[in-house]
Amino acid sequence: MTAIVQNLVTSGVFELDGGSWDVDNNVWIVGDDAEVIVIDAAHDAAAIADVVGDRELRAIVCTHGHNDHVNAAPALAERTGAPILLHPDDRVVWDLTHPGRAPDGELADGQVITIAGTELTVLHTPGHAPGAVCLYAADLGVVFTGDTLFHGGPGATGRSYSDYPTIVKSIHDRLFALPDATEVRTGHGEGTTIAEEKAGAPEWPEA
């Protein structure tokens, strides 16, 4: 059985550099009737656990360490026993939210996470955050981009640990290399496709 993708939207506050903003986050649950992974445990561990239900939660995968993407991860891990996985380059960002609780494992570029017979390949895409990653599921024709790529362009880079030229390079080198029909499942808001974002890229500010 090929994995299916479920979406849960949770709401909370994004905090960085002394500012705070109300946000809605996409939480992605990928798997089948027996096992799943959660991509970005945002804001509400109980709500995420309710969607997971009695299925085995194999991993809590963090696309990056900003608080609005990881603030529910330790509580969800405690409820389920699932390990939290983060790219080591984003530990500096993670520690802003969870200084006393380390992730349980590391993500690496090219690493393959298999769930319900479906492979998701980790793509290191720094720029929004130094350890930002995307997860590409070729069999599903889907890439989970966190805050690296949105409908309308790159994620924000105006705050600490982010860099605009770096995110543009990541998108061009890693994401635009994917098939044009690939569906982009984002960390906030509506989805898009690689083809649509390629078409809009010439209008992005120069890196």
Side-chain angles (χ1 to χ4, degrees):
M1 176 180 175
T2 302
I4 62 168
V5 178
Q6 296 173 277
N7 177 227
L8 170 69
V9 177
T10 59
S11 301
V13 177
F14 167 52
E15 298 175 321
L16 189 64
D17 297 338
S20 63
W21 300 264
D22 293 331
V23 289
D24 297 326
N25 283 64
N26 288 321
V27 180
W28 300 102
I29 299 98
V30 184
D32 60 13
D33 292 339
E35 61 178 15
V36 296
I37 63 169
V38 164
I39 301 172
D40 288 346
H43 306 304
D44 192 336
I48 299 168
D50 284 346
V51 176
V52 171
D54 60 1
R55 296 176 291 180
E56 180 185 2
L57 181 55
R58 296 284 304 279
I60 301 163
V61 182
C62 307
T63 62
H64 61 294
H66 284 152
N67 78 290
D68 60 317
H69 290 255
V70 304
N71 51 11
L76 185 62
E78 185 173 348
R79 290 178 70 130
T80 62
I84 300 169
L85 307 180
L86 178 80
H87 192 284
D89 288 357
D90 238 41
R91 182 63 187 273
V92 64
V93 184
W94 166 277
D95 285 348
L96 296 174
T97 302
H98 303 300
R101 206 289 192 193
D104 301 298
E106 295 184 348
L107 298 171
D109 186 58
Q111 177 180 344
V112 175
I113 298 170
T114 302
I115 190 70
T118 298
E119 295 184 344
L120 291 87
T121 301
V122 176
L123 308 175
H124 183 209
T125 53
H128 180 72
V133 302
C134 299
L135 299 161
Y136 175 52
D139 289 347
L140 303 179
V142 168
V143 62
F144 300 93
T145 58
D147 287 0
T148 294
L149 181 63
F150 291 108
H151 177 68
T157 54
R159 303 185 182 99
S160 295
Y161 310 110
S162 65
D163 183 72
Y164 182 74
T166 301
I167 199 172
V168 169
K169 179 174 173 56
S170 290
I171 293 168
H172 278 275
D173 291 355
R174 307 308 303 279
L175 300 183
F176 285 175
L178 302 177
D180 282 353
T182 303
E183 297 179 4
V184 178
R185 306 291 175 88
T186 61
H188 307 272
E190 64 182 306
T192 181
T193 65
I194 292 297
E196 185 172 355
E197 297 317 307
K198 273 186 179 178
E203 300 177 11
W204 298 353
E206 291 188 13

